[in-house]
Amino acid sequence: MPAFRGGIWRLNVADEAKGRGVGRFAVEAVAAEARRRGYDEITVLWDPAPDGPEQFYLRVGFEKTGELFGETVGTRKV
């Protein structure tokens, strides 16, 4: 697996803020900064638990690309 150069290690959104675009805004901000720095992709790690954030990350454009530390690795082009 290539070294991670830009991405999200953990993104936490308060329950009362979920569904209001806060998480999507954060992902887009990281993507924009990565693009500005010349990266062509960003990565994220998430807990593969049934109640975890997998569906969110898939909706915002990440694809599952591996596993690390027992967590799912997702990659998204910027």
Side-chain angles (χ1 to χ4, degrees), residues 6-8 11 21-37 39 42 60 62 76 78:
I8 301 165
L11 175 62
V22 174
R24 181 177 294 274
F25 176 83
V27 169
E28 294 304 330
V30 170
E33 180 63 17
R35 199 171 30 253
R36 188 185 73 74
R37 292 177 183 226
Y39 302 154
I42 57 175
V60 295
F62 286 92
R76 176 188 150 168
V78 297

Side-chain angles (χ1 to χ4, degrees), residues 17-78:
K18 289 181 180 175
R20 296 182 177 190
V22 174
R24 181 177 294 274
F25 176 83
V27 169
E28 294 304 330
V30 170
E33 180 63 17
R35 199 171 30 253
R36 188 185 73 74
R37 292 177 183 226
Y39 302 154
D40 59 356
E41 68 182 19
I42 57 175
T43 56
V44 66
L45 296 175
W46 70 77
D47 182 351
D51 61 344
E54 181 170 301
Q55 290 308 308
F56 166 75
Y57 286 119
L58 297 176
R59 274 194 313 274
V60 295
F62 286 92
E63 295 180 9
K64 291 193 250 183
T65 55
E67 188 177 301
L68 185 64
F69 310 124
E71 297 201 344
T72 302
V73 177
T75 304
R76 176 188 150 168
K77 300 289 183 197
V78 297

